[in-house]
Amino acid sequence: MTPNWDDMRVFLAVAREESLSAAGRQLKIDPATVGRRIARLEASLEAPLFTKSQQGYLLTAPGERLMEHGLKAEEAMRAAVGAMAGTSKTLSGQIRIGAPDGSANYLLPQVCAKISDANPDLDIQILALPRVINLSRREADMAVTVSAPTAGSLLVQKITDYKLHLVATRDYLTSYPAIRTIQDLSGHRMIGYIPDMIFDRELDYLVDIGVDRVALASNSVSVQLRQATLGTGVCVAHDFTLPFHPNLQKILTDQVSLTRSFHLVRHQGDQRNERLNRFAQALSQGIREEVERLEAQVSP
Amino acid sequence: MTPNWDDMRVFLAVAREESLSAAGRQLKIDPATVGRRIARLEASLEAPLFTKSQQGYLLTAPGERLMEHGLKAEEAMRAAVGAMAGTSKTLSGQIRIGAPDGSANYLLPQVCAKISDANPDLDIQILALPRVINLSRREADMAVTVSAPTAGSLLVQKITDYKLHLVATRDYLTSYPAIRTIQDLSGHRMIGYIPDMIFDRELDYLVDIGVDRVALASNSVSVQLRQATLGTGVCVAHDFTLPFHPNLQKILTDQVSLTRSFHLVRHQGDQRNERLNRFAQALSQGIREEVERLEAQVSP
DNA sequence: CCTGTCCTTTGCATTTTTGCAAAACATCTT
DNA sequence: AAGATGTTTTGCAAAAATGCAAAGGACAGG
């Protein structure tokens, strides 16, 4: 019998989450229903799609083959929904943004709050991960990145430049030897990324500055800034984060001033998706304005 | 809210049939249900998809846009189902073949009966139309044709050659002046295709033979043969039809012997659809064997 | 080893969807 | 003009799907 196309939507969620419960949460339906929908799909296709256990639902070989086609169906359905968006005043549904946690923590909350105010029926999800978001696998609808990706069928647009400077607390600076030159840094504790976990070359600030040892490291910008705010060392901070940490001040600004850029990266298949286009436009403009507003609050 | 993907499947049927009733018949669901599914889809997309009346359901501009994406979703879902077919011993579901009515009447019934015997869960539909089947519009899953199409993203494979000869009944031949040469035909009633409705140049047999007037014409081969069987004239017949009309005999075989070929035409997008591949293989082989079997029964 | 947590599956009640039949309307044929 | 045929829409009963709760199992932590 003809499979129910909507069962394919459920199938994709289970394939991704590898769990009836998790898929049920994502789809907002009962796990019992998810299980029944999978059973119905398997019956109509006469093929076992998962190996089943309480530890998880894992795709079989036929299930893998089905998933390939299911992803195409999903893309078409997304585009279909997107094509309808132009007819509505406000956006609805759910959109997920991937972002490095610097922008995820310090920019996106404000930007997305405004977008949400203007589009009450839209659910926005900020995926803050210290790694490259895989848009091909649809981990998110779009991603804010620092480096512009060059490979894959992706759309990339530059959003804005932003500045970074070395920072430390005033207490730290008065308690430790003066920092007048870059060479003086070698006598200080540096805070930064975990070197072998840096997932974007453009985030490797300290190498640019000439620092080769990081005593306090984290893969999370907010953790790094919290450590700096405690007065435990010197780190590189985005200017737009400084209004949130008034006890941090810039140092060596005449010698070290870094500039990076945010890019918005999207799946090429979404190019004509009006719904995502509208959201992307609002997001880019929001980020641009927020960076400008926050950097204006930081003394030169 | 998230549209139900299966509502898209219903939407496509209504868009094609331009009628709830016709779509319901095609989908084997009640027209009332079809109407409700369309209403639900329109509500979820917040867009009117059809202009509605008892005369029919016609797509609106948003509906047209939706259809583009819906067709892609459909292609993906068909491929998905097709990818599963290899896992099952027998085929199931529904497959529609377009064919000119010569092969539709005299070959496909036997060939499809055998395929159906081997695949009890498969519904086979023979679309016999006196015109070119539009595979791009998915009027059928595949088509048997005489001319090999050269345009469009289609897969074409030659199935077999077959022969055609001038025929008439014995009674006709004894009641009317003898036919010894092609020129003698001008004093006889010719049966053939309606000239301005010939949809395939390869079917324009009488032009090849040099006959320029068709006194008894039809766009249907079976009608033509029935007329010939009544002894009302001379027509061109496929050799494989002659075992069904034992009172028809070939004439002028030394002067007129036509050869044509059957081709199987499929949508390029179905190239890796295992379910349709298996069916196509069985169909081609079946037609090949059936032409051979029937032509063997006809005296030279 | 025991407890807690989370998973899948099953039974049952509730909700939703569907089929059926009828009403209303439009079109075509006699 | 009347009857026949086919359409869409609506109300209601029947069927199907879903949610809820509980049972049973697996795994992790204390």
Side-chain angles (χ1 to χ4, degrees):
Chain A
M1 84 282 234
T2 304
N4 183 304
W5 290 17
D6 205 62
D7 288 347
M8 174 71 89
R9 185 173 64 89
V10 173
F11 164 77
L12 289 171
V14 177
R16 284 193 175 102
E17 307 284 349
E18 298 185 343
S19 152
L20 299 180
S21 306
R25 285 192 292 274
Q26 203 254 305
L27 297 168
K28 294 188 176 74
I29 60 177
D30 200 87
T33 300
V34 176
R36 294 192 189 102
R37 297 282 289 271
I38 294 303
R40 183 167 75 181
L41 186 59
E42 287 180 323
S44 74
L45 295 174
E46 298 175 349
L49 303 172
F50 296 99
T51 58
K52 304 176 174 68
S53 74
Q54 277 176 340
Q55 292 80 358
Y57 260 49
L58 300 182
L59 281 171
T60 57
E64 297 273 3
R65 291 204 298 278
L66 188 67
M67 181 143 190
E68 291 175 31
H69 302 290
L71 290 172
K72 287 174 178 154
E74 183 184 56
E75 172 130 356
M77 291 302 299
R78 289 161 61 91
V81 170
M84 296 294 105
T87 63
S88 181
K89 267 196 166 201
T90 60
L91 301 172
S92 59
Q94 174 186 291
I95 293 181
R96 176 176 292 185
I97 315 157
D101 70 340
S103 55
N105 280 284
Y106 292 95
L107 291 176
L108 295 191
Q110 312 88 276
V111 174
C112 293
K114 284 181 173 177
I115 295 177
S116 185
D117 287 344
N119 301 277
D121 298 324
L122 178 67
D123 291 337
I124 306 170
Q125 296 180 351
I126 300 169
L127 186 66
L129 288 176
R131 60 170 177 76
V132 174
I133 306 297
N134 188 333
L135 288 186
S136 297
R137 273 189 85 239
R138 294 286 181 187
E139 284 186 316
D141 294 298
M142 57 189 74
V144 175
T145 66
V146 181
S147 280
T150 52
S153 50
L154 301 171
L155 299 171
V156 185
Q157 87 185 67
K158 179 178 166 177
I159 302 175
T160 186
D161 285 339
Y162 63 90
K163 296 186 183 64
L164 304 101
H165 290 95
L166 285 162
V167 298
T169 62
R170 288 179 191 80
D171 285 353
Y172 179 87
L173 293 171
T174 57
S175 304
Y176 290 85
I179 302 172
R180 292 192 183 86
T181 67
I182 293 177
Q183 287 71 35
D184 292 336
L185 291 174
S186 63
H188 291 266
R189 178 182 294 148
M190 298 305 299
I191 299 168
Y193 281 97
I194 301 171
D196 59 289
M197 287 189 70
I198 293 176
F199 59 93
D200 189 332
R201 268 196 328 110
E202 292 281 281
L203 301 178
D204 205 352
Y205 309 128
L206 296 180
V207 159
D208 282 357
I209 294 169
V211 171
D212 56 8
R213 179 175 171 240
V214 181
L216 290 171
S218 173
N219 65 334
S220 165
V221 160
S222 64
V223 168
Q224 292 172 33
L225 285 177
R226 288 193 200 290
Q227 280 181 318
T229 298
L230 292 174
T232 54
V234 179
C235 81
V236 174
H238 315 71
D239 280 8
F240 61 71
T241 62
L242 296 184
F244 300 93
H245 300 282
N247 66 334
L248 288 178
Q249 69 177 60
K250 294 191 277 188
I251 59 175
L252 294 185
T253 56
D254 54 332
Q255 296 171 60
V256 177
S257 182
L258 301 173
T259 301
R260 293 293 187 271
S261 303
F262 281 130
H263 297 81
L264 187 65
V265 184
R266 295 175 56 197
H267 201 281
Q268 196 160 44
D270 292 335
Q271 189 161 19
R272 288 182 195 82
N273 188 320
E274 285 203 30
R275 174 170 167 273
L276 291 178
N277 284 349
R278 282 167 60 190
F279 183 86
Q281 208 280 325
L283 184 69
S284 297
Q285 185 173 333
I287 291 175
R288 190 177 304 122
E289 290 172 357
E290 186 65 4
V291 166
E292 190 175 338
R293 183 187 74 86
L294 291 170
E295 287 192 347
Q297 293 175 31
V298 177
S299 58
Chain B
M1 86 283 237
T2 303
N4 183 304
W5 289 18
D6 205 61
D7 289 347
M8 175 69 90
R9 185 173 63 90
V10 173
F11 164 78
L12 289 170
V14 177
R16 284 194 175 102
E17 308 282 350
E18 298 186 343
S19 152
L20 299 180
S21 307
R25 285 192 292 274
Q26 202 255 306
L27 297 167
K28 296 191 174 72
I29 60 177
D30 200 88
T33 300
V34 177
R36 295 190 189 101
R37 299 279 292 268
I38 294 302
R40 182 169 75 182
L41 185 60
E42 287 181 322
S44 74
L45 295 174
E46 298 177 346
L49 303 173
F50 296 99
T51 57
K52 304 176 176 72
S53 74
Q54 275 179 339
Q55 290 81 0
Y57 262 49
L58 301 182
L59 282 171
T60 58
E64 296 274 4
R65 290 205 298 278
L66 187 67
M67 181 141 191
E68 292 175 29
H69 302 289
L71 291 171
K72 287 174 179 154
E74 182 182 56
E75 173 128 358
M77 290 301 298
R78 290 165 58 93
V81 170
M84 296 295 106
T87 62
S88 179
K89 268 195 164 200
T90 60
L91 300 172
S92 59
Q94 174 185 293
I95 292 179
R96 177 175 291 184
I97 315 157
D101 69 339
S103 55
N105 279 283
Y106 293 93
L107 292 177
L108 294 192
Q110 312 89 275
V111 174
C112 292
K114 284 183 174 176
I115 296 177
S116 185
D117 287 343
N119 301 279
D121 298 324
L122 177 67
D123 291 336
I124 306 170
Q125 297 181 350
I126 299 168
L127 186 66
L129 289 175
R131 61 169 177 77
V132 174
I133 305 297
N134 188 334
L135 288 187
S136 299
R137 272 190 84 235
R138 295 285 181 188
E139 286 186 316
D141 295 297
M142 58 190 72
V144 175
T145 66
V146 180
S147 279
T150 52
S153 51
L154 300 170
L155 299 170
V156 184
Q157 86 185 71
K158 179 178 165 178
I159 303 175
T160 186
D161 284 341
Y162 62 89
K163 296 188 185 61
L164 304 101
H165 291 95
L166 285 162
V167 299
T169 62
R170 287 180 191 80
D171 285 352
Y172 179 89
L173 294 171
T174 57
S175 305
Y176 290 84
I179 302 171
R180 292 193 184 83
T181 69
I182 292 176
Q183 287 71 34
D184 292 336
L185 290 174
S186 62
H188 290 266
R189 179 181 295 148
M190 298 305 298
I191 301 169
Y193 281 98
I194 300 171
D196 59 290
M197 288 189 70
I198 294 177
F199 60 92
D200 190 333
R201 270 197 325 112
E202 293 281 282
L203 302 179
D204 206 352
Y205 309 128
L206 297 180
V207 160
D208 283 356
I209 293 168
V211 171
D212 57 7
R213 181 176 169 238
V214 180
L216 292 169
S218 173
N219 66 334
S220 165
V221 159
S222 62
V223 169
Q224 292 172 34
L225 285 177
R226 286 192 201 291
Q227 280 180 322
T229 297
L230 292 173
T232 55
V234 178
C235 81
V236 174
H238 314 71
D239 279 9
F240 62 71
T241 62
L242 297 183
F244 299 94
H245 302 282
N247 66 335
L248 288 178
Q249 67 177 61
K250 292 191 276 187
I251 59 176
L252 296 184
T253 57
D254 57 329
Q255 295 170 61
V256 177
S257 181
L258 301 174
T259 300
R260 292 290 186 275
S261 302
F262 282 128
H263 296 82
L264 187 66
V265 184
R266 296 176 54 198
H267 201 280
Q268 197 159 45
D270 293 334
Q271 190 160 17
R272 288 182 194 79
N273 188 318
E274 283 203 30
R275 174 169 169 274
L276 291 179
N277 285 350
R278 283 168 59 191
F279 184 85
Q281 209 279 325
L283 185 70
S284 296
Q285 186 172 332
I287 291 175
R288 191 177 303 121
E289 291 172 357
E290 185 65 4
V291 166
E292 190 175 337
R293 185 185 74 84
L294 292 169
E295 287 192 347
Q297 292 175 33
V298 178
S299 58

